[in-house]
Amino acid sequence: SMRLIPSDVKKNTFTAQQVNDLMDNPDLPFHNKLTVNALDSDYGKPEYIAATYHQPNLVSATRMASNINMWERLSVEAQSERRESNEKTNGANAVYGEKHKLSNQAHWTRCCDTETEFGVKIGNKACMVQIQEWGDMMLRSKRGLSMKDKSCRLIRIVMLDQDGKSLLKKPMWLSVWGLRNNELSLEQIFWAYHRRFDIEHFFRFGKQNLLLDQFETPIEGNMENWLEVANMAYWMLWVARTDSNY
């Protein structure tokens, strides 16, 4: 979908609409099947998450900026204890527990719920992937979008070379949202997000070989048509790759 984002619509809101259109389309091969959407940190915000969370078969694996805060979801027992400790009994139960700043994970009092490690080969490099998970983590409601009934799996990924040195400057944080997010293993989440980088190949190849960014026009409709042509050309090359001798 190469539609241009209108100037009066936020990017996350527009993307959520595109994703909902795809998930609701009965003619697509993944309709009613578990589907993972891997997104960069621009979409780790309520505008996208709240607008797509209702999709029964969508899991969104979103990279999180390392300077944000996330909160534990309070258990039912903790909610009752907090209400009993308050002098005032009116209002809704609290749902947000302890705050966790991703850049300060070494000082968290809560240990990870699960962890795993496995070896992979990416390109010509063999490396070790270490993953930790914290369940039932939340974002704060913002800009009128409620996040109080939405929780995610918070994932921390570290990649080490054969000498034990980190291949990433910082740990990579993912938040995994969706009604079926617990059906994915930690390793499946890693590989699903790894696939996201295919889109970077599309942009690089499209600009270098398909003139994706070279068409200049003041007419919005013409620009949309050109983007669609470049997109179809890329798709046709991909489909024909198995018939090529090169």
Side-chain angles (χ1 to χ4, degrees):
S1 176
M2 300 295 290
R3 290 151 56 193
L4 297 177
I5 301 173
S7 59
D8 59 341
V9 179
K10 291 185 177 180
K11 176 174 63 174
N12 293 335
T13 302
F14 191 76
T15 300
Q17 178 186 336
Q18 288 178 296
V19 171
N20 285 329
D21 289 345
L22 293 172
M23 297 302 298
D24 294 337
N25 189 341
D27 296 327
L28 295 177
F30 51 81
H31 186 65
N32 286 335
K33 296 181 180 180
L34 179 62
T35 304
V36 181
N37 188 21
L39 305 111
D40 64 25
S41 57
D42 284 341
Y43 300 95
K45 298 178 176 65
E47 281 79 7
Y48 171 80
I49 297 168
T52 57
Y53 194 84
H54 67 283
Q55 289 289 348
N57 299 304
L58 175 66
V59 173
S60 295
T62 306
R63 187 163 185 171
M64 305 300 287
S66 59
N67 62 343
I68 72 163
N69 298 322
M70 300 196 73
W71 283 260
E72 291 183 36
R73 177 193 287 277
L74 282 179
S75 65
V76 175
E77 295 78 10
Q79 290 182 29
S80 299
E81 291 176 2
R82 182 172 293 190
R83 174 170 285 279
E84 292 174 359
S85 65
N86 291 336
E87 296 181 1
K88 298 180 179 180
T89 57
N90 58 324
N93 287 333
V95 295
Y96 292 99
E98 184 179 352
K99 181 173 73 173
H100 293 72
K101 190 175 182 64
L102 300 192
S103 62
N104 197 28
Q105 186 259 334
H107 293 86
W108 293 3
T109 58
R110 176 184 172 185
C111 296
C112 64
D113 298 329
T114 56
E115 57 185 329
T116 187
E117 65 176 25
F118 50 89
V120 300
K121 189 173 183 180
I122 298 178
N124 294 322
K125 290 185 177 181
C127 59
M128 181 66 65
V129 178
Q130 297 178 343
I131 305 179
Q132 295 175 307
E133 174 190 355
W134 292 260
D136 267 348
M137 299 295 288
M138 306 175 68
L139 286 172
R140 284 283 187 178
S141 300
K142 292 182 179 178
R143 298 174 287 278
L145 298 166
S146 177
M147 298 294 291
K148 292 183 177 180
D149 58 341
K150 303 169 183 65
S151 63
C152 70
R153 299 166 67 185
L154 181 62
I155 309 295
R156 181 179 184 268
I157 299 176
V158 174
M159 297 180 64
L160 306 174
D161 63 17
Q162 293 177 316
D163 297 323
K165 296 180 180 179
S166 178
L167 295 174
L168 306 173
K169 291 182 178 179
K170 298 179 181 179
M172 182 168 66
W173 291 94
L174 302 179
S175 59
V176 186
W177 305 85
L179 303 176
R180 298 178 63 183
N181 67 353
N182 286 321
E183 295 183 30
L184 297 175
S185 69
L186 295 179
E187 189 167 350
Q188 285 175 321
I189 292 170
F190 170 82
W191 286 115
Y193 196 79
H194 185 265
R195 290 283 186 90
R196 197 203 73 82
F197 296 101
D198 289 348
I199 196 172
E200 305 298 342
H201 176 271
F202 163 71
F203 287 125
R204 182 177 66 250
F205 186 88
K207 291 176 182 179
Q208 293 179 351
N209 300 280
L210 302 179
L211 308 179
L212 179 67
D213 60 341
Q214 298 299 311
F215 188 72
E216 298 180 3
T217 175
I219 303 174
E220 183 177 305
N222 290 352
M223 175 60 73
E224 289 185 334
N225 290 338
W226 177 249
L227 294 175
E228 198 68 35
V229 167
N231 192 24
M232 288 189 293
Y234 183 88
W235 177 253
M236 290 176 66
L237 288 171
W238 185 83
V239 170
R241 72 196 187 286
T242 55
D243 297 326
S244 173
N245 294 323
Y246 298 96

